[in-house]
Amino acid sequence: MADTTKEKIIDLADHLIRTKGFNAFSYADISAPLAIKNAAVHYHFPTKGDLGISVIERELKNLALHIRKWEKMPEDQQLRKLIDVFQQRYKLGTICLVGSLTPDYDTLPAPMQAKVQEMCTGILQWMTQCLEKGRAQQRLHFEGEAYDRALMVLSNLLSSLLFSRVLGGSTFQRMSKQLAKDLI
Amino acid sequence: MADTTKEKIIDLADHLIRTKGFNAFSYADISAPLAIKNAAVHYHFPTKGDLGISVIERELKNLALHIRKWEKMPEDQQLRKLIDVFQQRYKLGTICLVGSLTPDYDTLPAPMQAKVQEMCTGILQWMTQCLEKGRAQQRLHFEGEAYDRALMVLSNLLSSLLFSRVLGGSTFQRMSKQLAKDLI
DNA sequence: AAATATACTGACTAATTAGTAAGTAAGCAA
DNA sequence: TTGCTTACTTACTAATTAGTCAGTATATTT
């Protein structure tokens, strides 16, 4: 996956944020598995906030890549693709960055808060457009403003991973199927 | 509010879990504001997990109290009452315990994980019954199984507080209004 | 009056935390 | 070959972490 040390650090940090949360992992959790020293992590990412920002930025790039790939698809297909992304997260036993970082928002360094905000508004903007266009073509069906519905849809995707973590079983499948049924 | 030291500790811990998260507050964050020593907190709650469990147990008692108060109301009213509870949380700038503790689930001591699970299944059970009875009386309207819908509704309430924290503005109002419109 | 329980304080500890500063080995450029 | 950059290691630090244990003042019980 990642060849450079820097990419390996981001990979691991991403996984730690999703599994333990930003405040529950330490530089040692990164340096030990990679068999490097604590200071090597600080060399690439002076502060923990810098590392967090890089993790979010990589996620934003990956998301932008996905979205561009889906551009020509009908909107109901795009929605299914996004649900697939969350399903892959579910299979890995991890939650989404929004679900992990928004509860800790007040404890994050200011530059990282800004990135979290950017991530949230970005995903919401895309989802709003997707819903709006999908409804115009009668491929998606819902009531109310598209932005409000986008909030609800992202809410359900986010929570499906949170609830799965605690309730286990078919929780994720139940929620994602119900979400698709409601809209398509 | 609370007169005994023990109750004051639970009050503060509750607030800290909701604002900073379980892993981002320390015994010092509790002892300092209450002008007591670190060891006094340990006297009442030997481990941090014990403190977390007490916070959840108090929340479960409060919730049970609310629910009993609403027992005779029609189900659409009960739902509005629950939304009101979340609105009060929103006004305080805090999130719900489920939203705060489920992302950190894997880092929690086992007995606390069990309590988090109990809390989730408990709220879901109530919500499922509320939705089911409400639909039978045609006071609430939705498609699919009541349990699946309960997951979605709690998802929206939880996320409305998370998103409000980051996006600010009218996010909470938008989501709670849309939720009520969808069901009632 | 003596014994016991409650609710602490004072004084610790061992481990972990993010972060720093100085040194070094390897590769590349002038 | 001299100098510079990259990517680290070694060796720290100051602060904070949850948790312990012995002592003490104040009620309460016997």
Side-chain angles (χ1 to χ4, degrees):
Chain A
M1 269 241 162
D3 341 322
T4 68
T5 300
K6 194 169 183 176
E7 281 167 341
K8 283 178 193 164
I9 294 170
I10 296 178
D11 259 8
L12 234 177
D14 180 275
H15 191 255
L16 287 164
I17 289 174
R18 293 180 198 268
T19 50
K20 308 182 71 179
F22 187 74
N23 290 313
F25 82 89
S26 70
Y27 274 72
D29 290 324
I30 288 174
S31 55
L34 296 182
I36 56 176
K37 298 297 156 180
N38 219 316
V41 185
H42 277 286
Y43 167 74
H44 292 289
F45 306 97
T47 71
K48 208 181 172 187
D50 294 323
L51 177 52
I53 286 174
S54 287
V55 168
I56 301 175
E57 278 173 347
R58 196 188 58 163
E59 171 81 350
L60 282 168
K61 272 182 206 162
N62 284 344
L63 202 77
L65 226 82
H66 272 128
I67 287 173
R68 216 167 305 145
K69 247 188 343 197
W70 305 337
E71 232 170 11
K72 304 288 174 195
M73 297 180 186
E75 279 71 25
D76 57 322
Q77 277 289 326
Q78 291 188 37
L79 184 73
R80 284 196 199 279
K81 284 286 178 189
L82 186 72
I83 295 175
D84 282 350
V85 169
F86 276 79
Q87 184 154 32
Q88 278 159 34
R89 286 265 148 250
Y90 160 69
K91 284 178 184 165
L92 291 169
T94 61
I95 63 174
C96 67
L97 288 186
V98 174
S100 173
L101 295 173
T102 56
D104 294 345
Y105 189 75
D106 291 350
T107 73
L108 303 177
M112 214 183 140
Q113 289 186 337
K115 270 286 161 212
V116 171
Q117 228 170 53
E118 198 185 315
M119 171 170 60
C120 290
T121 54
I123 300 171
L124 268 166
Q125 209 167 26
W126 175 80
M127 176 62 80
T128 304
Q129 278 216 323
C130 176
L131 290 172
E132 200 135 50
K133 288 182 191 167
R135 180 160 62 176
Q137 295 176 20
Q138 290 183 324
R139 292 179 176 279
L140 297 175
H141 312 276
F142 60 93
E143 308 223 319
E145 281 183 43
Y147 177 75
D148 294 353
R149 189 59 54 183
L151 285 167
M152 309 297 265
V153 171
L154 286 171
S155 155
N156 290 330
L157 289 170
L158 178 158
S159 304
S160 67
L161 295 176
L162 289 184
F163 290 160
S164 287
R165 171 166 286 183
V166 176
L167 302 171
S170 56
T171 307
F172 179 82
Q173 311 300 338
R174 283 178 170 271
M175 290 188 73
S176 56
K177 274 185 190 164
Q178 190 60 59
L179 179 65
K181 265 192 201 167
D182 284 351
L183 287 165
I184 304 175
Chain B
M1 271 245 160
D3 24 292
T4 68
T5 299
K6 194 169 183 178
E7 282 167 340
K8 283 178 193 164
I9 293 171
I10 296 178
D11 259 9
L12 234 178
D14 181 276
H15 191 255
L16 286 164
I17 289 173
R18 292 179 199 269
T19 50
K20 306 183 73 181
F22 187 73
N23 290 313
F25 82 89
S26 69
Y27 275 71
D29 290 325
I30 288 174
S31 55
L34 296 181
I36 58 176
K37 299 297 158 181
N38 220 314
V41 184
H42 278 285
Y43 168 73
H44 293 287
F45 306 95
T47 70
K48 208 182 171 186
D50 293 323
L51 177 51
I53 286 173
S54 287
V55 168
I56 301 175
E57 277 173 347
R58 195 189 56 165
E59 171 79 351
L60 282 169
K61 272 183 207 159
N62 285 344
L63 202 76
L65 226 82
H66 273 127
I67 287 172
R68 215 167 306 146
K69 248 190 342 198
W70 305 338
E71 233 170 11
K72 306 285 175 198
M73 298 181 186
E75 280 71 25
D76 57 321
Q77 277 289 324
Q78 291 189 35
L79 184 72
R80 283 195 200 280
K81 283 287 179 189
L82 186 71
I83 296 176
D84 282 351
V85 169
F86 276 79
Q87 183 152 38
Q88 278 158 34
R89 286 266 148 248
Y90 160 69
K91 283 178 184 163
L92 291 169
T94 63
I95 63 175
C96 66
L97 287 187
V98 175
S100 173
L101 295 173
T102 55
D104 294 344
Y105 188 75
D106 291 349
T107 74
L108 302 176
M112 212 181 144
Q113 290 185 336
K115 270 286 162 214
V116 170
Q117 229 170 51
E118 197 185 316
M119 171 171 60
C120 290
T121 53
I123 301 172
L124 268 166
Q125 210 166 27
W126 175 80
M127 175 63 80
T128 303
Q129 279 217 322
C130 175
L131 289 171
E132 201 135 49
K133 289 182 190 166
R135 182 161 61 176
Q137 295 176 20
Q138 292 183 326
R139 292 178 177 279
L140 296 176
H141 311 278
F142 60 92
E143 307 222 322
E145 282 182 44
Y147 177 75
D148 295 353
R149 188 60 54 183
L151 284 167
M152 309 297 266
V153 170
L154 285 173
S155 156
N156 291 143
L157 289 169
L158 177 159
S159 303
S160 67
L161 296 176
L162 289 185
F163 290 161
S164 288
R165 170 166 287 183
V166 176
L167 302 170
S170 56
T171 306
F172 179 83
Q173 309 301 336
R174 282 177 170 273
M175 291 187 72
S176 57
K177 274 185 189 163
Q178 190 59 61
L179 180 66
K181 266 193 200 168
D182 284 352
L183 288 165
I184 304 174

